Amino acid sequence: MVAGSSRTLSDQLFKQLQQAIVRGDIPANTRLSETSLASQYGVSRGPLREAIHRLEGRRLVVRTPHSGTRVVSLNHEELIHIYQVREVLEGLACRLAAKNMTEDQVADMYTLLDEHSQQVDFREGVAYFQAEGDLDFHYRIVMASGNQRLIDNLCGELYHLVRMYRYQTSTSPRRPEKAFREHRQIVDALADRDSEMAELLMRRHIRTARLRLERMHTPANNNKEYSESGAVL
Amino acid sequence: MVAGSSRTLSDQLFKQLQQAIVRGDIPANTRLSETSLASQYGVSRGPLREAIHRLEGRRLVVRTPHSGTRVVSLNHEELIHIYQVREVLEGLACRLAAKNMTEDQVADMYTLLDEHSQQVDFREGVAYFQAEGDLDFHYRIVMASGNQRLIDNLCGELYHLVRMYRYQTSTSPRRPEKAFREHRQIVDALADRDSEMAELLMRRHIRTARLRLERMHTPANNNKEYSESGAVL
DNA sequence: TAACAACAAATTGTCGACAATTCTCTGGGC
DNA sequence: GCCCAGAGAATTGTCGACAATTTGTTGTTA
């Protein structure tokens, strides 16, 4: 038991397993054996079962009675569905953030944009940095919304799933710059306290990503799980 | 063990407890003792703990380590937050339903409207019928969206919470008729396959309910749980 | 050779007991 | 009379063992 010293074993296991799944250490569609995992983490089956049940609540694993639990594996359609939900939820987050953000938080957003503007120029490893930076960007706006339920939905569930399924946007290498400009527009709207515009821009920003996903839909990769790779926004 | 014969004890307990909480048989903020509940339902603590963990995933109970779990109790602000999320999610559901609904489903919606139009006239017990009918109306649209994640979010979580916290709209007795007209407009948009209009109307419909909630906010009832009563939409 | 049935192995579901932590109540002191 | 400390009780957390169900295999039969 090395990291994440929570109060109870179940909490520790929950965090460890969640991190392992999101980071890809446990690949999608992997079967989670209770006995082997219990011995692997050096605990009994009781706390491990509870952790798995909580992962099920977060929709990170799927459980079938008497049969076993598997790490969630999204097909093309399910990923599109997630982006549809994400579009409206982040639109709401942006609208609320425009009202509730402090001036300091707005200033921090501009600082973040400056950091990203430097990274966009580097072609090496831009996918990874841009991906993490992008999630950071969205993360901050959601946190500033002040709506705890919205925060839980996005940061506690959807972002984990999105992080699992990042795609290389190989068809359009100029996408990072466009995404960056969109980010700038969004922050400008936040600074202006223009909540309507902020919601509209964020929805369009994510809708763009979804349409890109939909375009790479072929009968071949339908009903087929994706492998982890690059960034989409 | 009388009803809801699921495959496993944990499933049965989960459904029973969820129903008991939503229907108000177990009031909000009630402390759930594992031992007493276990003996009450005639099972061991193991399955009951797992059911409670799943309820925690659905956000119907709140658990504090080593201290116990309580039925969720929403204050005014949290209920507003739920309606904010509901507004955008149901807007999305309506937009998708306008595209995906079959002609038969549209016809069923008109049939449902006819049934409601008769109930609206009855002043006796109109709150209850209107409340259930309203949830039925929204429920069908969400189910027709075809987005499973959206369905889970709304029907599996938010609706249960909304059902727990229904308010008597005592300030405006003419609200049911207005709500009914709004429902009719929404169905018309669905029939026209006008997804933009459908989303806009549904969002406005729920926003109206939220604004009514916000108006009945006073310092007295802030941070105070509400009791179950009538309908808001 | 293919299909079906019975058996065996593995895995999950359930239970009761023990350990650790928290809350409460009582007693003493200021 | 009020506050703090400590012991006790109650509740939750954890564990190992047993029971029930599913799955894979093997053997038989058409």
Side-chain angles (χ1 to χ4, degrees), chain A residues 202-213:
Chain A
M202 178 60 92
R203 283 186 65 155
R204 202 170 64 179
H205 178 57
I206 297 177
R207 181 162 56 244
T208 303
R210 173 168 60 82
L211 292 174
R212 292 176 59 77
L213 279 177

Side-chain angles (χ1 to χ4, degrees), chain A residues 15-80:
Chain A
K15 289 180 183 175
Q16 286 183 356
L17 286 175
Q18 174 175 278
Q19 193 172 345
I21 290 173
V22 169
R23 295 178 61 165
D25 299 338
I26 302 179
N29 214 10
T30 303
R31 194 162 181 281
L32 296 181
S33 166
E34 293 183 0
T35 52
S36 67
L37 273 183
S39 64
Q40 181 177 337
Y41 283 91
V43 296
S44 176
R45 272 180 56 216
L48 189 127
R49 278 175 70 86
E50 297 185 358
I52 286 181
H53 278 278
R54 288 167 67 180
L55 287 173
E56 186 193 10
R58 282 255 204 279
R59 310 257 160 72
L60 282 174
V61 302
V62 178
R63 215 168 48 86
T64 55
H66 293 287
S67 171
T69 86
R70 305 184 87 89
V71 176
V72 69
S73 175
L74 303 176
N75 59 30
H76 186 79
E77 186 187 19
E78 291 167 320
L79 193 65
I80 299 297

Side-chain angles (χ1 to χ4, degrees), chain B residues 121-151:
Chain B
D121 295 334
F122 300 146
R123 279 284 156 270
E124 303 290 332
V126 72
Y128 173 77
F129 287 119
Q130 183 65 12
E132 289 303 313
D134 175 74
L135 276 180
D136 192 17
F137 176 83
H138 289 268
Y139 191 84
R140 290 201 196 185
I141 292 177
V142 172
M143 294 304 280
S145 71
N147 183 327
Q148 190 59 46
R149 178 156 296 267
L150 184 60
I151 293 171

Side-chain angles (χ1 to χ4, degrees), chain B residues 8-10 43-45 47 66-67:
Chain B
T8 162
L9 265 182
S10 181
V43 296
S44 175
R45 273 180 55 219
H66 292 285
S67 169

